[in-house]
Amino acid sequence: FERANLPRLSDEERESILTFAVIGAGPTGIEFASELRDFIEQDGPKYYPSLLKYVRIKVIEASTTILAPFDQSLQQAAIDQLTRESDFSKSFESTVLPPNYQLTELLLDSGVSEITEDSILLSNGNSIRYGLSVWAAGNGPLPITLNIIDSLTGDEQAEAQSVARGRIAVDPWCRALGGDGKIFAFGDCSCTITNQLPATAQVASQQGEFLARLLSQCNVDETDTEAETTNKLLPPLKDLSNRGETLAERICSFSTQSNRFAAPFQFLNLGILAYTGAGSALAQVPITPNNKDNMIKGKGKVGFGLWRS
């Protein structure tokens, strides 16, 4: 704002400087855009009333919708909240705002092909001049992750890369495919092929706790005699010498008809939340696992209460 307030700047230059581009419309991108909009609506009229007509927030998303993990009805609620009429357009500053002024603009189905010092080139050929750009579309794999993938033996890991795409493909026990049970991966660098999970802190935290228990309570280095004859990597063996079976292990024993193997990782979805600005938020909490139709859904002030709880 201070840079745009310098004298002798043209209207086009001020609008470019005060264009905030948020690349990625997942929870991170939407929450940042919403917080930024709150700041502009609350503090802009007090400190920079003459600059408000130049301010633009552009949310750029390669897919056709925002907040992909959320239910469609909640996605639409977020779109309505983001593209609503700005609060200061109803006050005295409206006399200086251009006709059909829109503070936040959603650019869906618009991939980013290149970012320069002052412009963003989209895959559809359009370009956007900006003053501040925030990347919220995720990160590429680290070199160490790619090196581990290349070093893993066999075809299993290579074939799984069509799904994993630069992440280490793992089995339900977080063991890297092709690693002979000696390499473990969890969090954003891993991908469970049989049941893909979102790259969220909730998943990584639960996987970390699972691996801590697995490494401390199981014989992960012990080779099963059946594995030698079948040439297949079997699940880790339980070590019950100093403890009893957990409930998860009993369920696993019943399903596999064997009490030798450790239970695989099971993700407990505790729900997802996203702030959408002006004291409103989205909340989506499953009541029963793996049932998208049986959820508690909240938006507006109700969602905000769940988001703050």
Side-chain angles (χ1 to χ4, degrees), residues 37-213:
R37 180 178 174 127
D38 284 353
F39 165 74
I40 294 170
E41 289 183 329
Q42 293 168 12
D43 294 338
K46 291 187 292 184
Y47 301 110
Y48 305 101
S50 63
L51 294 178
L52 292 178
K53 62 182 179 180
Y54 303 111
V55 181
R56 304 289 188 277
I57 301 173
K58 296 182 182 291
V59 181
I60 305 170
E61 171 59 37
S63 67
T64 57
T65 188
I66 68 172
L67 296 173
F70 284 83
D71 181 76
Q72 188 173 0
S73 62
L74 296 181
Q75 292 174 351
Q76 187 58 49
I79 292 174
D80 294 341
Q81 180 69 9
L82 285 168
T83 57
R84 74 188 188 280
E85 184 181 8
S86 58
D87 291 344
F88 54 72
S89 66
K90 304 173 186 177
S91 61
F92 70 93
E93 287 83 8
S94 61
T95 58
V96 299
L97 296 178
N100 301 319
Y101 174 78
Q102 188 173 14
L103 177 58
T104 307
E105 181 181 1
L106 297 178
L107 301 176
L108 302 180
D109 203 16
S110 301
V112 174
S113 58
E114 185 180 355
I115 301 177
T116 65
E117 184 178 356
D118 58 3
S119 64
I120 298 172
L121 305 180
L122 303 180
S123 56
N124 58 15
N126 295 332
S127 64
I128 299 171
R129 293 183 61 83
Y130 70 92
L132 175 67
S133 174
V134 176
W135 183 269
N139 300 319
L142 295 174
I144 187 174
T145 303
L146 297 176
N147 291 337
I148 291 174
I149 293 173
D150 293 338
S151 66
L152 294 172
T153 59
D155 298 330
E156 198 173 7
Q157 182 68 225
E159 293 173 355
Q161 284 305 306
S162 61
V163 176
R165 297 183 178 180
R167 294 173 293 171
I168 301 172
V170 298
D171 66 8
W173 291 268
C174 297
R175 300 178 300 180
L177 302 182
D180 298 326
K182 298 178 180 179
I183 299 176
F184 296 84
F186 70 100
D188 293 2
C189 73
S190 67
C191 175
T192 307
I193 300 300
T194 54
N195 182 24
Q196 294 188 58
L197 299 171
T200 63
Q202 189 179 150
V203 173
S205 175
Q206 293 184 30
Q207 285 179 327
E209 293 179 3
F210 167 79
L211 273 179
R213 291 193 300 269

